[in-house]
Amino acid sequence: MAQATASRRAQLSDAGDIARIYSEGIADRIATFETEPRSRADVEQVLRGLDPRHPAVVVEREGRVVAFAWTSTYRPRACYDLIAEFSVYVGREARGTGCGREVLSALIEAAEASGLHKLVSRIFPENTASRALCRALGFREVGTYVRHGKLDGEWRDCVIVERLLGAAADGC
Ligand SMILES: CC(C)(COP(=O)(O)OP(=O)(O)OC[C@H]1O[C@@H](n2cnc3c(N)ncnc32)[C@H](O)[C@@H]1OP(=O)(O)O)[C@@H](O)C(=O)NCCC(=O)NCCS
């Protein structure tokens, strides 16, 4: 039987679960240039400091948080105020079971509701799950930054993705 899942806005009380899921993604070395695990306090600080326009969402399965996605500042210049970066992470035990689609869909909906114009991110080329998820939800691959950052001493490429939101997407 399919397990019941539900998305909702992230709350401070989710910080421990988000830290666990984020730290798994960091340890797997497939998602981010970050290398140090995150603590509950680190995540509480992020959630407390979120710009009111930048949503953060979680997905619960059987009452347990199994995925999160959030937005952050793309660039501090005023011309980019309505562009946001996003991150999406699913706990290891729940990957490949639709939670990524659910949590990123919820983030897109929340970002549209808060008036954002575009979401962007960068993905390691080898991260086939993340690229498939983004493609499935209407993101466009803009191109590849070559040898863009070092992870564990190795230069890594990044695929840039973007998705226009709300009225900005009309006619695309
Ligand atoms: C990337 C990630 C968020 C995807 O979430 P997920 O729950 O595993 O993916 P879903 O089950 O929702 O699948 C979403 C889509 O991607 C496809 N997909 C998922 N895993 C895949 C894989 N390993 N290879 C190819 N396609 C895959 C699914 O078929 C699905 O497509 P569909 O909806 O059109 O059928 C998740 O695997 C994860 O958290 N990975 C570690 C952290 C990470 O890489 N974060 C992204 C940083 S850029």
Side-chain angles (χ1 to χ4, degrees), residues 31 88-90 95-101 123 127-130 132-133 136:
V88 54
Y89 287 82
V90 176
R95 290 181 197 159
T97 64
C99 293
R101 176 181 265 273
I123 306 175
N127 194 343
T128 49
S130 187
L133 169 64

Side-chain angles (χ1 to χ4, degrees), residues 11-26:
Q11 300 162 2
L12 265 187
S13 55
D14 298 317
D17 287 320
I18 292 174
R20 170 181 51 81
I21 294 164
Y22 193 7
S23 297
E24 289 178 359
I26 291 169

Side-chain angles (χ1 to χ4, degrees), residues 8 10-23 38-48 58 65 68 70:
R8 60 170 173 76
Q11 300 162 2
L12 265 187
S13 55
D14 298 317
D17 287 320
I18 292 174
R20 170 181 51 81
I21 294 164
Y22 193 7
S23 297
R38 291 303 194 270
S39 67
R40 174 194 296 260
D42 294 333
V43 173
E44 279 177 356
Q45 194 178 7
V46 172
L47 293 175
R48 280 206 180 88
V58 297
V65 173
F68 76 93
W70 59 26

